Amino acid sequence: MTPLKSKLGLSKPKIDRARELAAEITAPVQEFIDTHTTVTIERATLRLLGADGANDDGVPVPNLIAAQCGAKLSGGAAAFYLNALLKLDKKPAELNKEIEKGLNICEIPLTDAKRIQKKAEEIIKGLDARIAGNVTHRNAQLKLSKDKIKSPMIYVIVATGNIYEDVKQAQAAAHQGADIIAVIRTTGQSLLDYVPYGATTEGFGGTYATQENFRIMRKALDETGEKEGRYVRLVNYCSGLCMPEIAAMGALERLDMMLNDSMYGILFRDINMYRTLTDQFFSRMINTAADIIINTGEDNYLTTSDAVEKAHTVLASQFLNERFAAGAGMPARLMGLGHAFEINPELKNGFLYEYAQALMAREIFPEHPLKYMPPTKFMTGDVFKGLAMNTLFNFVSKATGQGIHLLGMLTEAIHTPYLQDRHLAIDNALYVHNTMADFMDEIEFKKDGVMARRARQVLDETVEMLEEVKRHGLFTAIETGMFAEIKRPRDGGKGFDGVYEKAAGYYNPVEAYLKKKLKVGK
Amino acid sequence: MFIKPYGDTSNDGAVQLSFTLPVKNCGRAKEAARLYVQKLGFQKVDVVHAAALSEDFTFFVAYGKTDVSLDYDKVEYAEAVDKYMSMDEVNEFIKTHFKRKLVIVGACTGTDAHTVGIDAIMNMKGYNHHFGLERYPMIEALNMGSQVPNEKILAKAKELKADAVLVSQIVTQKDVHIKNLTELIELAEAEKMRGKTLLVMGGPRVNNKLAKELGYDAGFGAGTYAEHVATFVVKKLYERMTTRK
């Protein structure tokens, strides 16, 4: 990312003020996070310690253990698993088999805490080596393919429901030039309070995120990457009720990016706010440890609200996501803050506003690999108009140095992409990238022109909004519909019963390891 | 009146096609594409573009001419409403004929998480400068959002004594929307709500014809605005009210 001088004349004190407000808004939330755990944080911890598999009814081993723990989850689930490994003298794979068959590990009397801690250290040493190995491998591959990865990186989605069909489409897209492949999840997975097990071939509008599916797609993309001489990044969805578990699986299987937002689940999936805010912290520590880039979901605000009137809610949320991520030890280079090209195409000068807002995001977040989302809301089924809109979107993305560029599909609003739709989208993007390769360096803007004024206005409105959120507190702000015009009560939504106040003596060696590694907390 | 596609001359039957075949891009593949389009019944086939999608797939753009024509007079399709009213006209109509506010409950039901359709019809802001039902002074509109179970929306409709229920379905892969829409109708039948509460469905891949087949009172596809749905609801309710008397 080339450092920029502000071409829009944005006020640095205003930007600093927004960051200060974000820190003040998130601080009380972080206090809550630090004193709580959730059922999926405990399951993620178990997964990282080796818990895996599922019983004959498809209930995953981490869920079986969590159910055995019940209220004891408030003290942490890790000790029971470690204790069972010691007492039964088994390896994780062997113990998992026993648990699948019905062994209740919470009934085994706990051995000496020191022995448990020693066992934890031994397993975490292996975990650390596995994650570090993934990071080293990825970095080596990225170095080899440096000149072949595009800027912005081209991101496409596959969504057949069948992981083996996904592989065909993903390999074709990578061959055509895609740098990043996202396997979209089946509709409804975000609301499952478990992660399904094994390879899957049935899904609607997407494919189940399972550890085996991660492995299958990783292997396929590595193969294609080798052929093309270019590392292909893999993305999945670290969101919903199992956010930290998906992060754990991604860290183990070398995913490269994760959709991961601090508020998306609350607003758009009606997941309880305490649950999501606590989960996002733990999952972001895992993502950071595994050097996984997160993609935040601000683009979604503009599908429910007007992209001109509510542009400031996107920027406000970006500041909050940035602050929450920093609180989990995440460096800016891993924060793919989201935004979108969603202004009504019939609005006069709409393109100038899009351009101004995209450049504003780039100038305010210079080191962040911004995730820029294509038009969806005003895609109608007129595929020819859709292709034209996508071309303008591609233009803005290249002209403002976005990091992660999700390609628009001309058949958006019609069906999940056909093989040829991706080809046309990639072809379009490559054409734009090449024909205006150095455009960004060539252009400057009128000091008080439409674009500079637009960017200033959005920043001003953002600071005003953050001031107001700070006055009410984030929980109340969400309750009163300040984000995406969606109201969510603090004790409502899904997954609230899976939030636990940490008991005195709460034990979680994985959390301790992550905090130490990332220098998080005191 | 018999009709055929119009390219650059009346009744030339010109059609543009694009598709992918699972073969490597080469001369033989292009010839296969031409023969395939011919097999579809087209004549004077011209494959104008071929591009490799991967080693195993090729994308084609082709043109062909067809002899097939259709008697337009025999095409049957009933629009949900012949003539639409504006937001103000809808409100006046409700004031005049019902003398109370109408209650409309809507949601994106089943596993579908896409609210863009129901939001466009119901939310205050509406879509493309067409205000949503929440903005209508004479309508109490409740948008329950996404992934609402069918049981839940019907229970809410009962609780609020809703005059109409709007169901949005965006995801249509493997016909998941048909299953879900059918389930809702069956539940409504069991609850004896059919014939009382208007059941209206919407989504980019549905229309009025499909709605009737599934047992809904109306269906609205792409390009629908709030006033279209509102016009149907008020006119249909009025029709029922007056025929019952």
Side-chain angles (χ1 to χ4, degrees):
Chain A
M1 224 58 61
T2 35
L4 296 166
K5 68 172 175 96
S6 175
K7 293 181 180 181
L8 293 169
L10 293 169
S11 151
K12 182 148 189 314
K14 279 246 159 92
I15 297 171
D16 292 344
R17 176 66 188 146
R19 286 211 160 86
E20 202 176 275
L21 284 163
E24 289 167 9
I25 290 164
T26 54
V29 180
Q30 193 62 44
E31 275 173 37
F32 179 90
I33 293 167
D34 291 339
T35 52
H36 289 76
T37 184
T38 71
V39 65
T40 178
I41 288 176
E42 296 306 318
R43 296 195 303 248
T45 302
L46 290 166
R47 282 178 186 276
L48 290 171
L49 293 173
D52 194 13
N55 71 8
D56 289 342
D57 296 329
V59 183
V61 167
N63 287 67
L64 291 170
I65 302 171
Q68 291 168 3
C69 288
K72 289 185 215 154
L73 278 179
S74 62
F80 298 107
Y81 191 74
L82 295 163
N83 180 62
L85 289 172
L86 286 166
K87 283 267 182 85
L88 306 175
D89 190 24
K90 285 190 188 302
K91 294 202 161 46
E94 298 162 351
L95 179 62
N96 294 340
K97 283 269 168 272
E98 295 299 318
I99 296 169
E100 283 170 29
K101 281 187 234 153
L103 171 72
N104 186 339
I105 59 169
C106 291
E107 284 172 352
I108 305 170
L110 287 181
T111 179
D112 175 39
K114 271 191 198 144
R115 275 189 74 206
I116 290 178
Q117 176 58 21
K118 216 175 145 214
K119 186 73 188 167
E121 280 164 17
E122 173 200 320
I123 291 180
I124 286 170
K125 201 173 157 199
L127 171 70
D128 186 56
R130 178 160 172 183
I131 293 175
N134 285 343
V135 174
T136 309
H137 180 85
R138 179 194 299 122
N139 286 338
Q141 292 298 315
L142 284 175
K143 206 170 168 192
L144 287 175
S145 40
K146 208 168 184 185
D147 304 332
K148 292 188 175 173
I149 292 174
K150 289 155 280 295
S151 170
M153 290 184 277
I154 291 180
Y155 176 129
V156 299
I157 285 169
V158 296
T160 69
N162 179 331
I163 189 65
Y164 301 105
E165 286 296 322
D166 285 342
V167 161
K168 283 185 211 166
Q169 300 205 1
Q171 289 187 320
H175 170 75
Q176 288 156 27
D179 300 301
I180 306 169
I181 305 286
V183 182
I184 211 166
R185 293 198 297 182
T186 181
T187 178
Q189 185 172 359
S190 58
L191 299 183
L192 298 180
D193 213 341
Y194 66 95
V195 182
Y197 180 76
T200 68
T201 56
E202 285 283 327
F204 295 110
T207 307
Y208 282 103
T210 73
Q211 196 166 341
E212 183 60 21
N213 287 349
F214 283 8
R215 224 173 275 144
I216 291 167
M217 187 56 85
R218 174 76 278 162
K219 185 163 169 271
L221 292 183
D222 282 349
E223 273 169 28
T224 306
E226 195 144 310
K227 254 189 229 161
E228 303 290 326
R230 170 168 55 85
Y231 184 74
V232 184
R233 287 180 165 94
L234 175 59
V235 190
N236 212 285
Y237 293 72
C238 186
S239 58
L241 285 170
C242 294
M243 195 190 269
E245 291 177 88
I246 301 278
M249 290 157 41
L252 294 172
E253 302 304 335
R254 190 167 34 86
L255 268 76
D256 307 288
M257 287 186 189
M258 283 285 184
L259 282 269
N260 182 251
D261 193 277
S262 57
M263 294 191 288
Y264 170 84
I266 306 168
L267 299 170
F268 298 97
R269 291 291 180 268
D270 194 16
I271 294 173
N272 176 264
M273 59 176 86
Y274 294 110
R275 169 77 173 255
T276 283
L277 289 165
T278 309
D279 287 346
Q280 61 85 28
F281 171 71
F282 197 78
S283 54
R284 282 175 179 189
M285 286 203 296
I286 299 172
N287 286 329
T288 308
D291 224 27
I292 288 173
I293 294 174
I294 62 163
N295 294 185
T296 61
E298 282 83 358
D299 52 291
N300 293 285
Y301 295 152
L302 304 182
T303 60
T304 57
S305 300
D306 184 85
V308 175
E309 278 172 27
K310 299 290 179 183
H312 62 283
T313 64
V314 168
L315 183 55
S317 172
Q318 287 172 331
F319 279 119
L320 294 176
N321 260 316
E322 178 191 48
R323 187 57 237 163
F324 274 126
M330 185 171 273
R333 66 180 174 80
L334 296 180
M335 298 179 196
L337 300 176
H339 60 139
F341 186 97
E342 288 281 21
I343 293 175
N344 187 338
E346 289 184 20
L347 181 74
K348 189 181 171 194
N349 281 332
F351 177 81
L352 297 187
Y353 297 158
E354 296 283 19
Y355 194 171
Q357 288 168 204
L359 189 57
M360 172 195 73
R362 176 35 76 227
E363 292 190 353
I364 293 175
F365 303 103
E367 294 164 28
H368 311 55
L370 295 176
K371 163 88 170 292
Y372 199 29
M373 299 288 282
T376 59
K377 193 177 173 181
F378 291 95
M379 296 292 275
T380 57
D382 176 353
V383 294
F384 304 100
K385 173 78 178 287
L387 191 62
M389 285 163 66
N390 284 332
T391 307
L392 291 185
F393 163 67
N394 290 342
F395 177 96
V396 171
S397 188
K398 184 68 181 169
T400 57
Q402 300 297 310
I404 302 161
H405 179 75
L406 195 148
L407 288 188
M409 292 291 136
L410 79 169
T411 51
E412 176 74 39
I414 303 176
H415 48 61
T416 49
Y418 285 179
L419 218 46
Q420 65 221 39
D421 299 344
R422 276 188 219 96
H423 159 75
L424 291 167
I426 292 169
D427 223 36
N428 183 338
L430 293 178
Y431 160 60
V432 171
H433 281 187
N434 183 55
T435 196
M436 53 179 290
D438 295 321
F439 180 86
M440 191 174 168
D441 291 335
E442 289 291 316
I443 196 148
E444 285 180 4
F445 301 96
K446 277 166 87 171
K447 196 164 157 266
D448 282 305
V450 175
M451 287 180 57
R453 278 184 284 130
R454 173 66 188 159
R456 283 204 294 270
Q457 182 198 350
V458 174
L459 179 58
D460 287 351
E461 288 173 0
T462 302
V463 172
E464 278 167 36
M465 177 178 172
L466 289 171
E467 297 274 10
E468 204 186 329
V469 172
K470 196 202 139 193
R471 268 199 301 281
H472 298 294
L474 185 61
F475 296 120
T476 307
I478 295 172
E479 281 191 317
T480 52
M482 288 184 70
F483 295 95
E485 299 171 80
I486 296 172
K487 296 173 184 171
R488 298 297 187 196
R490 66 183 69 204
D491 54 358
K494 299 162 185 98
F496 188 32
D497 53 1
V499 181
Y500 297 84
E501 191 176 354
K502 285 178 181 169
Y506 172 79
Y507 178 68
N508 188 333
V510 173
E511 182 190 60
Y513 151 74
L514 290 169
K515 283 188 168 171
K516 191 171 167 210
K517 185 182 169 90
L518 306 173
K519 301 187 178 65
V520 169
K522 283 151 212 157
Chain B
M1 181 185 58
F2 278 83
I3 52 169
K4 272 169 83 175
Y6 186 122
D8 69 350
T9 313
S10 285
N11 291 319
D12 61 9
V15 172
Q16 176 191 44
L17 299 105
S18 63
F19 56 91
T20 298
L21 291 178
V23 290
K24 185 181 163 72
N25 184 18
C26 59
R28 188 172 164 206
K30 223 171 146 177
E31 176 60 8
R34 191 184 69 80
L35 289 172
Y36 189 79
V37 176
Q38 227 168 46
K39 266 191 138 174
L40 291 174
F42 291 97
Q43 292 147 12
K44 295 189 183 147
V45 175
D46 205 358
V47 176
V48 297
H49 177 68
L53 301 188
S54 72
E55 285 173 20
D56 309 318
F57 291 97
T58 308
F59 172 60
F60 301 96
V61 178
Y63 287 86
K65 295 197 170 160
T66 176
D67 272 344
V68 177
S69 61
L70 181 83
D71 186 352
Y72 191 62
D73 300 322
K74 290 194 177 149
V75 175
E76 283 179 29
Y77 185 83
E79 304 282 354
V81 179
D82 290 335
K83 194 172 170 297
Y84 293 111
M85 296 189 270
S86 68
M87 178 171 88
D88 292 341
E89 286 165 349
V90 166
N91 282 311
E92 276 312 308
F93 190 91
I94 299 174
K95 268 188 208 161
T96 313
H97 297 293
F98 297 92
K99 299 185 177 62
R100 65 171 175 93
K101 286 189 178 186
L102 297 183
V103 180
I104 300 180
V105 177
C108 188
T109 72
T111 54
D112 201 338
H114 300 76
T115 60
V116 55
I118 197 73
D119 288 349
I121 302 301
M122 298 200 77
N123 286 8
M124 193 70 81
K125 174 88 193 167
Y127 181 80
N128 212 7
H129 307 295
H130 294 257
F131 289 128
L133 299 179
E134 286 177 358
R135 189 81 167 227
Y136 286 54
M138 290 305 290
I139 293 178
E140 285 288 349
L142 175 69
N143 180 358
M144 295 176 69
S146 70
Q147 300 186 330
V148 176
N150 285 323
E151 295 86 351
K152 217 170 156 184
I153 187 173
L154 292 182
K156 193 54 134 181
K158 265 196 154 172
E159 178 196 325
L160 300 178
K161 299 199 174 64
D163 297 287
V165 170
L166 311 184
V167 188
S168 169
Q169 297 284 273
I170 306 285
V171 174
T172 53
Q173 202 179 31
K174 295 175 192 159
D175 281 339
V176 63
H177 64 305
I178 304 285
K179 284 174 214 150
N180 188 53
L181 287 164
T182 309
E183 186 197 271
L184 187 133
I185 278 291
E186 285 167 359
L187 286 167
E189 182 79 53
E191 294 285 327
K192 302 198 170 42
M193 291 172 78
R194 273 183 81 188
K196 287 184 203 154
T197 311
L198 288 181
L199 298 171
V200 179
M201 64 192 227
R205 302 271 71 76
V206 308
N207 62 28
N208 199 39
K209 197 170 179 204
L210 177 69
K212 298 278 182 186
E213 282 166 16
L214 294 179
Y216 285 74
D217 293 295
F220 292 89
T224 300
Y225 297 120
E227 63 266 28
H228 300 153
V229 178
T231 303
F232 169 77
V233 168
V234 298
K235 285 198 169 168
K236 188 78 185 174
L237 287 172
Y238 179 67
E239 180 194 310
R240 279 194 187 167
M241 194 168 75
T242 46
T243 49
R244 246 174 237 160
K245 269 176 190 168

